[in-house]
Amino acid sequence: MKATLLQDSQLRYEPNYEPVPIESAVEVEVLQAGICETDLQLIQGYMGFAGVLGHEFVGIAKSGKYQRRRVAGEINCACGDCECCAQSNPNHCPNRTVIGILNHDGAFAERVWVPEENLHPIPDSVSDDQAVFVEPLAAAFQIPAQLDLSDFQNVIVLGDGRLGNLCAQVLQGYKKSPLVIGKHPEKLERLTKLGIDTELLSEVSETRFSDLVVDCTGSPSGLATAYRLIKPRGTIVLKSTYAGDHSPNLAPIVIDELNLVGSRCGPFPMAIEALAASEIDVDSLVTSRFPIEESIKAFQVAQQKDQLKVILTVKDNANDKEDNGAE
């Protein structure tokens, strides 16, 4: 099958990749997949991953209870037998594989194998483009899943990229009126059009004025910037992962008695419901698209500062909707 993979630390497109099917999982025929910041970090050595990349996707289930329906898939594939799994915490299963990230081939391919319990059906009102955003949007919804947002008055989102945009929209939906601070005027303008306040990082003069800062910068410098903006005893939510060893200065956490919250994957049902209800704008985030055969070029474009979401088209769904049971 056609696939884009990381092998010997090199990104390459393989037109005749031989997959290893997972018998206990559902084969999903991939329609579209999105390139995200984690993928860009993986090709720089994050997690030491080797295999097919890609974890934001929409496809057609080939078997199981969602057979012939469009689905998106949660990325953490748990063992089902450990203490974490027994406590309904599969995202932290120590034996898990992670689609396109850890010991599990991903969705930059014609097929991906996903445990049935990880699959979520996509309603007809959600387009293929929108469905690609289910996974990162769920990660944004993890913030209100972890925190009681009523405790915070002055909320900042650091970073004007893909995830920062989605986190800001989710927080706006919770009536938190976030301020998004970023480096790119054209990306901030997209948020301004949605009624979200923005400011260029270079123009921020006030310090220590927020009680909640969400770091979506994807940069080691994000935490240091958050220290400059957070009030004593405030909360910093870390959404960034990156390649390399970047030891942070932890002294401000102790001195200012800060709460530091790691935040990763989130609730798919909330993300799907928000997309179906048109509560979150994701269509404007799609800045480029390429067929999977041009995936190397797609990755090059995705690294450009003016890009938000680059989509890989694996299979054209336009002529197959009747066959797949979609309207």
Side-chain angles (χ1 to χ4, degrees):
M1 68 179 183
K2 301 172 184 176
T4 302
L5 61 151
L6 195 60
Q7 190 173 62
D8 299 325
S9 301
Q10 297 294 317
L11 183 67
R12 68 184 183 89
Y13 167 69
E14 174 56 66
N16 297 300
Y17 181 72
E18 292 290 340
V20 179
I22 303 173
E23 293 184 2
S24 60
V26 173
E27 179 184 341
V28 176
E29 182 181 42
V30 180
L31 299 172
Q32 293 186 173
I35 298 175
C36 82
E37 182 61 32
T38 300
D39 298 312
L40 300 180
Q41 294 296 326
L42 286 166
I43 65 175
Q44 296 181 46
Y46 174 60
M47 296 291 290
F49 178 72
V52 178
L53 293 162
H55 57 276
E56 301 177 2
F57 68 94
V58 58
I60 305 294
K62 306 302 288 184
S63 63
K65 63 181 178 181
Y66 301 126
Q67 185 174 8
R68 301 178 70 234
R69 295 182 66 183
R70 289 186 308 150
V71 292
E74 297 190 42
I75 65 176
N76 297 286
C77 305
C79 72
D81 296 322
C82 68
E83 182 177 355
C84 281
C85 292
Q87 296 175 348
S88 300
N89 196 13
N91 284 357
H92 294 283
C93 167
N95 308 310
R96 71 186 183 278
T97 63
V98 185
I99 295 172
I101 296 175
L102 177 67
N103 299 327
H104 195 126
D105 274 350
F108 294 163
E110 292 182 287
R111 297 183 296 282
V112 62
W113 279 261
V114 184
E116 185 170 78
E117 59 268 24
N118 287 43
L119 295 176
H120 295 263
I122 301 300
D124 292 343
S125 59
V126 176
S127 70
D128 288 347
D129 277 2
Q130 293 167 340
V132 167
F133 286 88
V134 169
E135 195 278 334
L137 182 56
F141 272 109
Q142 181 67 353
I143 299 171
Q146 291 175 291
L147 300 174
D148 181 355
L149 293 178
S150 65
D151 294 337
F152 305 103
Q153 301 303 318
N154 300 302
V155 178
I156 289 175
V157 175
L158 279 179
D160 49 23
R162 300 167 285 265
L163 186 56
N165 187 298
L166 294 176
C167 288
Q169 290 195 62
V170 167
L171 291 167
Q172 184 85 333
Y174 279 79
K175 311 300 182 184
K176 289 292 100 179
S177 300
L179 170 66
V180 179
I181 297 176
K183 297 180 178 180
H184 309 97
E186 68 281 0
K187 293 180 180 179
L188 292 175
E189 178 62 23
R190 293 173 183 268
L191 288 156
T192 300
K193 290 178 179 179
L194 296 174
I196 295 173
D197 293 334
T198 66
E199 192 167 356
L200 282 168
L201 178 60
S202 60
E203 298 178 358
V204 175
S205 58
E206 190 176 0
T207 60
R208 317 302 294 274
F209 66 96
S210 175
D211 48 14
L212 174 63
V213 176
V214 181
D215 173 22
C216 299
T217 61
S219 168
S221 65
L223 182 57
T225 304
Y227 287 158
R228 183 161 63 89
L229 301 170
I230 195 73
K231 294 178 180 179
R233 293 192 173 180
T235 297
I236 298 174
V237 175
L238 296 181
K239 278 292 188 182
S240 296
T241 55
Y242 34 78
D245 181 13
H246 302 278
S247 299
N249 176 16
L250 300 180
I253 298 173
V254 178
I255 296 168
D256 294 325
E257 297 183 333
L258 301 175
N259 298 303
L260 199 61
V261 178
S263 184
R264 191 167 60 100
C265 301
F268 269 48
M270 292 182 71
I272 294 171
E273 289 171 10
L275 290 171
S278 300
E279 295 173 351
I280 304 290
D281 170 48
V282 295
D283 292 304
S284 66
L285 297 180
V286 179
T287 48
S288 296
R289 66 176 74 241
F290 296 87
I292 190 172
E293 293 85 354
E294 298 180 23
S295 54
I296 304 303
K297 182 179 179 181
F299 264 83
Q300 294 170 346
V301 170
Q303 295 177 67
Q304 297 173 5
K305 296 298 184 183
D306 63 340
Q307 294 294 310
L308 286 168
K309 180 60 67 182
V310 175
I311 286 181
L312 290 179
T313 300
V314 182
K315 179 180 173 62
D316 185 0
N317 192 33
N319 297 322
D320 298 324
K321 288 185 176 180
E322 183 175 347
D323 292 339
N324 295 327
E327 297 178 358

